Amino acid sequence: MQLTVWTYEGPPHVGAMRVVTGMKGVHYVLHAPQGDTYADLLFTMIERRDHRPPVTYTTFQARDLGGDTANLVQRSIADAYQRFKPDTLVVGASCTAELIQDDPGGLAERLDLPVPVVSLELPAYQRKENWGAAETFYQMVRTLTLHRAPERGEAFERDREPGSRPKVNLLGPTALGFRHRDDITEVTRLLDRLGVNVHVVAPWESSPHDLVRIPDADANVVMYPETADTVARWLERTFGQPRTTVVPIGIGATRDFVREVAEMLDLDPEPGLAGIQSNMPWWSKSIDSTYLTGKRVFVFGDATHAIAAARVAAEEMGFEVVGLGTFQREFARDVRKAAKAHGVEPLISDDHLEVEEAIEAAAPELVLGTQMERHIAKRLGVFCAVISAPVHVQDFPARYSPQMGPEGANVLFDTWVHPLVMGLEEHLLGLFQDDFEFTDGVGPSHLHTGTVPQDGATPHDGPAAGTLTGKDTTRTPVVPGPVVARASGDIEWLDSAEKELKRIPFFVRGKARRNTEKYALEQGVDAISVDILYEAKAHFGNR
């Protein structure tokens, strides 16, 4: 286990909380010390839930370690059942309590409670949050449906009325999931246009009784493989339910998803394809978006969203993917395959410092990442849009804001493009900052007031570097460009060249500086003038 200030994933019992907190009629008894009792903070403050999470802690203290902590666990489990009367009880230990080895699951079974008890064994020092969510979901479905499994060699029989529409389960949405609530609505609409009903959505807003009904569906839609891939594979083996492999993020993937579901259920895909109406393809091809073509983008997040975002960026928005990575080693193979398709080196790491170094080296103009990358981008002076958990409270908007389906494509366009559009506006303000007729009486722009447009996150939450304070309030703040490494060797920038460099938009200024210094080194020039700057521009522009 690595100690760090930031972490992309919590311990596995937090993943278990995400599953249980999203469900109804389930209670989680967690063997944990007082310091691990932070579920209320996660789910009521960050996600802004309107009720407390269904989690009870044993909350043992240091003085309890010399006594019978096993008895404490049994009392806590019995009290939780008597108080909440859940349909299913989930029992596990936090990373700290795991060291005591009290076996809370075994202790719960000895109580002989009149409800199903799901015992979790989550190795906190080898696994992390998303794996914990997937394992918890799998154990719950397996425990509650195993009695319905057919004998080996026999097929599971489903009752379906002649002429009725096929039905599928939506698997994977959890509490604290990035836009999961809105994605459910969008995918349900897609399936309805195709002529498919949604049977069960799980674990989000489902009950133990809903989990028992999961095998009755004709197929499973795996919305988030991080949570649902394990259980979907088991259901396919045990009940013969086929599963989807395409996640409908972006217009291209949404069309592929509709075709995959139609083929799986032997349906005509055209009604579903005809219902895919989105403004994003037209906007991406419009004259107003052509200046975004070729913008360098670095993508990092959970595997599902990172792979999908890279495809949308490259194929649907005309960006150049200069970096792709994930913190989820379980899905490293999928990310490596996607990175190879984009011609970049994959980054598989849960060390935010390594991610920051990779972003700085790639010098992108836009970062698509998590809450971590938002902070990194601010320090580097690069725009960032959040596409994946871990997220902040601002990433749980009250408005409808999906990532999947046609409307999700619109949200992606707004979220990713608006920061770049605002950046161009800021460049024009800076370009004319010395014109007294333009700046007279004009205050700082939105980038210097802490305002973040829509879903996008700008790199300037406060006053920009170089902003004057005190009595002098007439000078327009200077927007810092991306942080770039200076070329090796003794190269001097003449004042006239530095002034001319500032006329270049800040989101490509770093690239212009590097190219000019590289050209100067190749030519044996140790002082960069305006002429050298434009010679370098012509040299690299002709390549």
Side-chain angles (χ1 to χ4, degrees):
M1 175 173 284
Q2 180 182 4
L3 295 178
T4 180
V5 177
W6 285 351
T7 179
Y8 286 97
E9 296 183 84
H13 72 266
V14 173
M17 284 185 197
R18 288 175 52 195
V19 170
V20 173
T21 299
M23 297 185 67
K24 301 173 181 177
V26 182
H27 199 83
Y28 186 21
V29 178
L30 184 64
H31 189 27
Q34 285 182 324
D36 283 348
T37 55
Y38 43 71
D40 284 10
L41 176 67
L42 287 174
F43 297 99
T44 60
M45 188 189 82
I46 295 181
E47 194 175 27
R48 298 190 284 200
R49 299 295 298 274
D50 59 356
H51 57 273
R52 295 187 62 185
V55 182
T56 293
Y57 304 91
T58 59
T59 57
F60 63 85
Q61 302 178 45
R63 64 172 179 266
D64 297 318
L65 298 179
D68 186 2
T69 53
N71 188 43
L72 175 64
V73 173
Q74 286 192 308
R75 286 201 311 270
S76 299
I77 294 172
D79 291 346
Y81 172 74
Q82 290 298 327
R83 179 180 178 185
F84 298 103
K85 290 291 191 298
D87 297 322
T88 298
L89 201 64
V90 179
V91 181
S94 72
C95 47
T96 309
E98 183 182 331
L99 300 173
I100 305 175
Q101 298 184 337
D102 277 331
D103 186 21
L107 295 171
E109 290 178 3
R110 296 176 200 171
L111 293 175
D112 196 24
L113 297 174
V115 295
V117 176
V118 179
S119 175
L120 299 178
E121 294 185 9
L122 307 177
Y125 298 95
Q126 290 82 39
R127 299 289 189 169
K128 293 191 176 182
E129 180 179 333
N130 281 297
W131 182 89
E135 181 67 11
T136 301
F137 187 31
Y138 163 69
Q139 292 293 348
M140 293 190 69
V141 172
R142 190 177 188 278
T143 299
L144 296 172
T145 62
L146 193 58
H147 69 282
R148 302 190 61 193
E151 296 294 331
R152 184 182 297 273
E154 296 182 4
F156 182 77
E157 296 184 2
R158 295 180 177 85
D159 294 329
R160 182 171 163 188
E161 297 180 4
S164 63
R165 298 190 354 159
K167 52 190 178 184
V168 299
N169 301 311
L170 305 186
L171 304 182
T174 66
L176 271 185
F178 185 66
R179 310 293 169 81
H180 288 194
R181 174 193 61 199
D182 297 340
D183 284 349
I184 293 169
T185 302
E186 197 68 12
V187 172
T188 301
R189 289 175 180 171
L190 274 176
L191 295 170
D192 181 62
R193 296 187 190 104
L194 187 60
V196 178
N197 290 339
V198 172
H199 181 56
V200 170
V201 178
W204 179 257
E205 294 294 317
S206 64
S207 68
H209 302 292
D210 292 326
L211 299 191
V212 174
R213 298 190 300 116
I214 281 179
D216 296 324
D218 298 293
N220 290 314
V221 170
V222 180
M223 293 181 63
Y224 308 101
E226 289 82 2
T227 307
D229 187 63
T230 301
V231 70
R233 289 176 183 272
W234 182 80
L235 290 166
E236 188 172 38
R237 294 192 305 269
T238 307
F239 295 98
Q241 288 178 308
R243 58 188 171 85
T244 60
T245 59
V246 178
V247 178
I249 297 179
I251 293 300
T254 298
R255 291 182 177 134
D256 291 345
F257 170 79
V258 169
R259 294 188 187 100
E260 182 183 39
V261 174
E263 182 179 359
M264 196 164 53
L265 300 175
D266 195 22
L267 298 171
D268 179 8
E270 291 308 316
L273 294 173
I276 300 176
Q277 303 293 330
S278 174
N279 292 318
M280 195 265 271
W282 182 86
W283 283 333
S284 296
K285 297 175 183 177
S286 69
I287 189 66
D288 293 332
S289 294
T290 54
Y291 78 93
L292 300 172
T293 303
K295 287 290 180 285
R296 297 163 58 84
V297 59
F298 193 102
V299 185
F300 192 88
D302 67 46
T304 295
H305 289 90
I307 293 172
R311 176 181 176 180
V312 173
E315 298 180 6
E316 301 178 28
M317 294 194 185
F319 295 153
E320 178 188 357
V321 177
V322 297
L324 175 60
T326 184
F327 51 83
Q328 292 183 289
R329 299 187 184 277
E330 297 89 344
F331 291 86
R333 179 179 299 178
D334 298 328
V335 174
R336 288 193 179 100
K337 181 180 178 181
K340 183 178 180 180
H342 292 288
V344 298
E345 191 69 24
L347 175 61
I348 313 298
S349 176
D350 58 1
D351 184 346
H352 64 89
L353 296 177
E354 186 178 353
V355 176
E356 181 168 354
E357 290 177 1
I359 293 175
E360 186 171 0
E365 291 136 289
L366 177 67
V367 176
L368 304 177
T370 73
Q371 172 70 5
M372 306 287 198
E373 283 65 52
R374 174 186 281 150
H375 290 297
I376 291 171
K378 286 178 183 177
R379 287 199 300 276
L380 299 181
V382 183
F383 288 116
C384 178
V386 174
I387 62 164
S388 160
V391 293
H392 197 265
V393 62
Q394 73 186 77
D395 298 307
F396 290 96
R399 67 185 177 281
Y400 183 64
S401 186
Q403 293 276 286
M404 295 184 181
E407 188 58 31
N410 291 337
V411 172
L412 293 181
F413 184 88
D414 288 343
T415 305
W416 301 1
V417 171
H418 282 179
L420 295 174
V421 173
M422 296 301 102
L424 180 62
E425 177 184 290
E426 191 66 20
H427 167 65
L428 294 175
L429 290 175
L431 192 64
F432 293 100
Q433 65 180 356
D434 295 327
D435 188 332
F436 73 93
E437 292 184 351
F438 182 79
T439 59
D440 187 28
V442 177
S445 72
H446 70 283
L447 291 181
H448 305 292
T449 61
T451 302
V452 179
Q454 200 146 330
D455 292 285
T458 75
H460 314 292
D461 280 356
T467 301
L468 299 182
T469 57
K471 295 182 179 180
D472 187 357
T473 59
T474 60
R475 182 176 173 183
T476 304
V478 178
V479 180
V483 176
V484 295
R486 297 299 293 263
S488 59
D490 297 327
I491 297 180
E492 177 187 0
W493 280 77
L494 301 180
D495 290 343
S496 58
E498 281 280 7
K499 185 175 180 180
E500 190 67 18
L501 182 67
K502 291 179 180 178
R503 298 178 64 84
I504 298 174
F506 69 86
F507 41 82
V508 292
R509 194 178 302 155
K511 182 178 180 181
R513 180 185 290 275
R514 289 194 310 278
N515 285 346
T516 304
E517 291 177 347
K518 181 179 179 180
Y519 177 79
L521 284 174
E522 293 174 351
Q523 300 299 317
V525 176
D526 55 8
I528 297 176
S529 63
V530 174
D531 290 339
I532 293 295
L533 175 62
Y534 280 97
E535 286 178 16
K537 180 178 182 296
H539 174 74
F540 288 99
N542 292 329
R543 288 188 175 184

